[in-house]
Amino acid sequence: LAQASVAQGTARCPAPSPRCAAAAAAPCPPQAAMGISRDSRHKHRKTGGRRNIHQKKRKYEMGRPAALCKLGAKRVRPVRCRGGNMKYRALRVDNGNFSWGSENCAKKVRLLDVVYNATSNELVRTKTLTKNTVVQIDAQPFKQWYLKKYGVDLGKKGKGAKGKDGKDAKEGEEPEKKSRHVTFKLKYRESRQKLDPAVEEQFQSG
């Protein structure tokens, strides 16, 4: 069948020109994919009327697809932007900077899980990190900071929460020696400190 079609083609055009041969050899040009544009020419007017499009898309109106960063081993890609500037697009992330606002403390901690996303449960299932996502983090750096500043171990309940004294220290560990001045300073800080019970309960759970 292929040979027959070629024969028919040559019969129609007995003396093909070089331009015809080149056109037959060249493959069809790929169809241009639709780009993401941040213009407003395609929108209706405030009155509801259609708008005449008088110019094409411009490079400075270009947009890029959302990264939809997931929870996983760190994977960051550089993106060259207008003016030679660089953006660093996170595709996978497993840690981040989190701040404890009331204590004026920020730490780099591990991300453990995605708990809630108001947009969709699909984003929770796929562990997608977006703005306003509620995540579960490893609180150990904050516990260590709190113990150092207030002398209170947030991982323990009740009286055992006070710092590592001789009674609380595990076997084989020497209790941390503190001067009288430091001990009184920590007690004073703790007396003025009020911790939200809900936050304390979360610390005890891990």
Side-chain angles (χ1 to χ4, degrees), residues 91-139:
L91 305 178
R92 302 275 187 281
V93 158
D94 58 358
N95 58 54
N97 279 331
F98 288 84
S99 65
W100 190 353
S102 59
E103 293 296 327
N104 196 24
C105 168
K107 296 288 177 187
K108 183 179 180 180
V109 296
R110 285 188 308 122
L111 289 166
L112 300 178
D113 197 9
V114 176
V115 179
Y116 176 74
N117 195 313
T119 306
S120 170
N121 284 333
E122 184 73 9
L123 298 177
V124 178
R125 188 184 66 79
T126 55
K127 299 187 189 302
T128 303
L129 301 172
T130 62
K131 191 175 180 180
N132 213 32
T133 300
V134 179
V135 295
Q136 187 178 8
I137 62 171
D138 177 23

Side-chain angles (χ1 to χ4, degrees), residues 26 54 62 67 79 82 128 177 187 191:
H54 67 284
M62 181 186 74
V79 180
R82 186 176 164 90
T128 303
K177 293 182 180 179
K187 281 184 179 178
S191 66

